[in-house]
Amino acid sequence: MLESTAFSVQLAIDRHPLTVTPDTPVSSAIVLMSQVKSSCAIVVEADKILGIFTERDVVKLTAQSGDREQDSFTKAFSKQPISALMTPRPFILKEEHLPNLVTLLDLLRQKQIRHLPIVDPDEKLLGTITYQSIREIIQPADWMRLRRVVEVMNPKVITASPSASVLELATLMSIHRVSCVAIAQNRPSDDPRETPELQPMPIPIGIVTERDILQLQALELNPRKLTAAEVMSSPLLLVQPTDCLWTAHQLMREYRVRRLGVADEGDSLQGIITQTSLLQGFTPIEMDAAIAALQGLVEERTTELLQANEQLRREILERQHTEAALRLSQARLAGVLDSADDAIISIDETHRIQLFNQGAEKIFGYSAAEVMGQPLDLLLPENLRLKHRQYIENFRDTPEVSRTMGTRSQVFGRRKDGSQFPAEASISKLEVGSERLFTVILRDITTRVAAQEALQLQLERERVMSAMRDRIRSSLNLQEILNTTVAEVRQFLNTDRVIIYRFHPDWSGKVVVESCSNGAREILNLTILDPCFRESQAELYKKGRLKATADIYSAPISPCHRNLLTQFQVKANLVVPILLNEDFQSHSEEDRVEQMKIPAGRTTNSGDC
């Protein structure tokens, strides 16, 4: 016989048996066995096996209870610990000493046990082996198709009538040491198959098993008041004596039962076949053939599993390398995005923000958490939002992948504080599956624009000064030179009026040169006396003071001076003194208009004295 079948036998170990402590009440153990559908409970303390309690023990207790009422039965066993009724010191076997399957079955027969606890070298419980767990690992073989049910069935069937009480059934099981009672009835006398020459054979109509008794006790039902007809499993699954064992094996597996009735063609009960009898029908030669087939199948499946594991390992390694490369690429991209000073913003086709880098956070003042999933309009001036949305829609329908924005008009952004800033930007589009993303790279050019404007202003100043020098050189007429000068300065500063105002010895004065815009009131040759100026300002201007007033109504100037300026519709002014031989002679006044504060059709001039 084969000796290399330990691995196959290990497959029959139930690694999760039901265990209870010695002080567990018997009634509680019965309920647990019923709930998990276990045929036994192993009594364990400190990882050591003390005993075993089986369905057969429940049947014995039920039979011994006699006429005791169910409530007293339950009450009695709810207080009694299982250690008092268990089978102590059951036969155990260390896993390392597991024999081959043939020897194992022979061991179960010799010990007359149906449950074999398996332990480790320290005798700690690992699991249990039963006839059911053995049957579940045996694969179909040809010998099961060749053997007949009649060869292994037990012809001595314990039967009872449908009217028998459950207590009577438990007593029969306990006396005859069987795991079930077939419920049968005699054939009707008018049945043509009934003959006086032969002893009448009962007709099976159901079966009651040890597990049924266990479940009734778990539900605290009175076995004396219940009849077999009320609790039996019906109909009883039947096979014929001439059926092969393979047919019986398949029925047990399909319906998850451990017993089948054996009946002839007339449905007369001939015997019963159980998991135990099914396995006891194996001969050593047949068992070796089955084990060899099983071992070959295990080796074949093991090889396939190893190959599949190797393939899976390679795929996992390849995926890990791919994921590592992807993470590195993503880290590099994230580093590039976060280190960029420019704002990098991605939106989906609904114009909602999907990417917002650190550069964008610095420029716009929002954190990424604040804007993710928000509409792009949040970052645009209100007057440009519709135009920008139309621009994106038009770009989406073009074959272009990217383009520079702002070729026709200046691009502006809007910060969190509501301020606007000029920007230069480019846009690109990318399709990811069925999604399309638009990415804008934007740079704040406020400093550049300011520098360009300052440079332009400086160039304009140089142009004005150069033009004035050229005109002065080309003319010897002082009045013409002064007229040219104020005209150039007014154009350069874009003001409403520029004048040259000459003081008299009493600090009154006269406008001697003037350039003003169309519609402005002319004040050329007008004599003006400002006593406030003589008292508080004259000495300061003698020392070369330059004064710019952005708004005469908010500036800290004297009321009399403000009243004087208001007469000439002055809103803001710039005053520069002109000194002759270090003596104060006159000063120029350059006026401008605050368009935001001017009523339509009215010009506001600026002046000072």
Side-chain angles (χ1 to χ4, degrees):
M1 293 189 297
L2 294 178
E3 299 295 337
S4 59
T5 59
F7 177 76
S8 299
V9 173
Q10 287 175 336
L11 295 178
I13 300 175
D14 176 7
R15 302 282 179 175
H16 304 284
L18 174 63
T19 61
V20 295
T21 58
D23 57 351
T24 302
V26 173
S27 59
S28 298
I30 292 174
V31 171
L32 287 173
M33 292 169 64
S34 174
Q35 289 174 344
V36 301
K37 293 182 171 55
S38 174
S39 59
C40 72
I42 308 297
V43 183
V44 177
E45 185 175 43
D47 294 330
K48 298 296 183 181
I49 299 176
L50 301 182
I52 188 170
F53 186 77
T54 68
E55 290 176 334
R56 183 154 294 178
D57 295 320
V58 177
V59 173
K60 288 180 181 179
L61 292 177
T62 303
Q64 292 170 2
S65 65
D67 293 338
R68 181 186 298 175
E69 292 294 334
Q70 181 62 26
D71 55 351
S72 61
F73 176 91
T74 303
K75 184 176 180 180
F77 291 115
S78 65
K79 295 180 180 179
Q80 190 167 13
I82 198 169
S83 58
L85 298 175
M86 69 182 182
T87 300
R89 297 183 297 279
F91 179 77
I92 60 175
L93 186 65
K94 294 182 179 179
E95 184 179 20
E96 59 186 6
H97 296 155
L98 273 175
N100 59 48
L101 192 55
V102 174
T103 306
L104 178 63
L105 287 172
D106 190 49
L107 181 64
L108 294 175
R109 295 189 193 104
Q110 290 178 7
K111 299 294 183 181
Q112 295 185 350
I113 57 177
R114 293 183 295 170
H115 306 87
L116 175 60
I118 305 299
V119 298
D120 64 8
D122 296 327
E123 296 190 356
K124 293 182 179 180
L125 179 65
L126 295 177
T128 57
I129 292 180
T130 64
Y131 282 111
Q132 180 178 355
S133 66
I134 293 174
R135 184 178 62 83
E136 287 176 352
I137 69 165
I138 292 180
Q139 301 297 318
D142 290 339
W143 59 268
M144 295 187 72
R145 303 180 188 277
L146 298 176
R147 299 290 299 275
R148 302 299 171 190
V149 170
V150 68
E151 300 176 47
V152 300
M153 73 177 189
N154 182 2
K156 297 179 180 180
V157 185
I158 305 302
T159 63
S161 68
S163 60
S165 69
V166 172
L167 177 61
E168 293 173 339
L169 301 181
T171 303
L172 288 173
M173 292 183 195
S174 178
I175 293 174
H176 297 283
R177 297 181 60 81
V178 293
S179 61
C180 65
V181 173
I183 308 303
Q185 61 186 9
N186 293 327
R187 195 182 303 278
S189 58
D190 57 349
D191 192 314
R193 290 171 291 184
E194 182 74 25
T195 59
E197 294 81 7
L198 299 176
Q199 183 179 359
M201 298 296 291
I203 301 174
I205 59 173
I207 190 170
V208 176
T209 68
E210 290 175 331
R211 180 154 298 178
D212 296 326
I213 304 295
L214 171 72
Q215 291 176 342
L216 293 175
Q217 293 290 10
L219 295 174
E220 300 183 3
L221 299 176
N222 192 333
R224 186 166 57 87
K225 296 182 179 180
L226 293 174
T227 64
E230 293 174 309
V231 302
M232 68 181 182
S233 298
S234 178
L236 175 63
L237 291 176
L238 299 175
V239 291
Q240 293 187 357
T242 56
D243 288 336
C244 64
L245 294 184
W246 173 237
T247 300
H249 172 73
Q250 285 290 82
L251 278 174
M252 287 184 181
R253 294 193 63 175
E254 180 179 354
Y255 292 96
R256 298 180 180 275
V257 297
R258 295 183 289 176
R259 302 162 186 83
L260 298 173
V262 181
D264 58 16
E265 293 182 356
D267 293 336
S268 296
L269 187 62
Q270 303 292 319
I272 194 165
I273 183 171
T274 66
Q275 291 178 133
T276 304
S277 58
L278 187 66
L279 294 175
Q280 287 175 343
F282 300 165
T283 65
I285 295 177
E286 292 166 339
M287 183 63 72
D288 281 344
I291 293 173
L294 179 60
Q295 186 69 19
L297 180 60
V298 169
E299 292 174 355
E300 180 183 344
R301 295 291 172 83
T302 301
T303 301
E304 292 176 356
L305 182 60
L306 290 175
Q307 292 174 348
N309 285 343
E310 179 61 24
Q311 177 65 24
L312 181 60
R313 187 185 67 83
R314 289 195 297 267
E315 291 177 358
I316 291 174
L317 286 176
E318 182 178 351
R319 181 171 181 177
Q320 289 175 340
H321 292 157
T322 302
E323 289 177 348
L326 179 60
R327 285 195 297 269
L328 180 60
S329 175
Q330 290 174 337
R332 288 173 177 169
L333 177 60
V336 170
L337 292 177
D338 289 338
S339 63
D341 292 330
D342 294 341
I344 302 177
I345 305 168
S346 291
I347 61 173
D348 57 20
E349 290 192 281
T350 65
H351 295 244
R352 293 192 175 273
I353 299 171
Q354 304 298 319
L355 172 66
F356 197 77
N357 75 331
Q358 290 184 6
E361 291 181 332
K362 294 176 183 177
I363 291 175
F364 287 93
Y366 289 100
S367 67
E370 290 178 293
V371 301
M372 292 297 287
Q374 297 297 318
L376 185 63
D377 290 351
L378 184 68
L379 309 178
L380 298 172
E382 188 173 354
N383 62 318
L384 297 179
R385 291 173 181 173
L386 179 59
K387 182 178 179 181
H388 189 273
R389 184 175 290 271
Q390 292 173 344
Y391 182 90
I392 298 292
E393 297 298 328
N394 293 336
F395 174 63
R396 180 191 62 184
D397 298 331
T398 66
E400 296 177 273
V401 177
S402 62
R403 68 163 60 160
T404 301
M405 303 175 69
T407 55
R408 297 183 180 180
S409 60
Q410 179 69 57
V411 176
F412 286 91
R414 180 181 179 275
R415 298 187 182 93
K416 184 177 181 179
D417 60 10
S419 62
Q420 299 181 18
F421 62 92
E424 64 180 14
S426 62
I427 185 171
S428 62
K429 57 187 175 185
L430 175 67
E431 290 191 8
V432 181
S434 59
E435 255 188 281
R436 181 176 293 174
L437 295 177
F438 300 92
T439 300
V440 174
I441 300 177
L442 178 142
R443 177 172 298 173
D444 184 351
I445 58 172
T446 300
T447 304
R448 185 200 304 173
V449 169
Q452 290 174 345
E453 290 176 351
L455 177 61
Q456 187 65 33
L457 182 61
Q458 180 63 29
L459 292 175
E460 184 64 20
R461 287 174 180 170
E462 293 177 359
R463 186 195 65 77
V464 171
M465 295 302 296
S466 177
M468 286 191 297
R469 283 195 300 268
D470 291 344
R471 285 187 174 86
I472 290 172
R473 289 170 182 167
S474 64
S475 174
L476 298 177
N477 187 322
L478 178 59
Q479 190 63 39
E480 183 180 344
I481 291 172
L482 295 177
N483 288 335
T484 301
T485 299
V486 295
E488 291 287 349
V489 172
R490 188 177 70 81
Q491 182 181 0
F492 170 68
L493 296 179
N494 191 27
T495 62
D496 292 316
R497 186 195 314 273
V498 175
I499 66 172
I500 295 178
Y501 179 73
R502 174 174 290 176
F503 286 97
H504 298 149
D506 62 353
W507 293 106
S508 65
K510 180 180 179 181
V511 179
V512 295
V513 182
E514 178 187 33
S515 174
C516 61
S517 61
N518 293 333
R521 173 189 171 189
E522 293 185 4
I523 59 174
L524 183 62
N525 296 322
L526 181 66
T527 297
I528 303 172
L529 176 61
D530 183 5
C532 298
F533 179 81
R534 178 179 58 199
E535 296 173 358
S536 61
Q537 303 292 323
E539 290 302 320
L540 295 175
Y541 282 108
K542 278 184 179 183
K543 296 178 181 179
R545 178 190 186 186
L546 302 178
K547 184 178 180 183
T549 303
D551 186 347
I552 67 170
Y553 297 104
S554 59
I557 61 177
S558 63
C560 66
H561 189 45
R562 182 180 292 110
N563 292 335
L564 177 65
L565 295 177
T566 303
Q567 295 178 21
F568 299 103
Q569 299 178 319
V570 175
K571 174 67 176 178
N573 66 359
L574 170 65
V575 180
V576 180
I578 301 174
L579 302 177
L580 181 61
N581 296 326
E582 298 185 356
D583 191 12
F584 192 62
Q585 298 295 325
S586 63
H587 72 278
S588 70
E589 191 168 315
E590 301 171 5
D591 307 334
R592 63 187 178 84
V593 177
E594 293 287 346
Q595 298 293 341
M596 296 298 293
K597 311 238 179 176
I598 302 175
R602 179 182 177 186
T603 302
T604 300
N605 305 311
S606 63
D608 201 351
C609 51

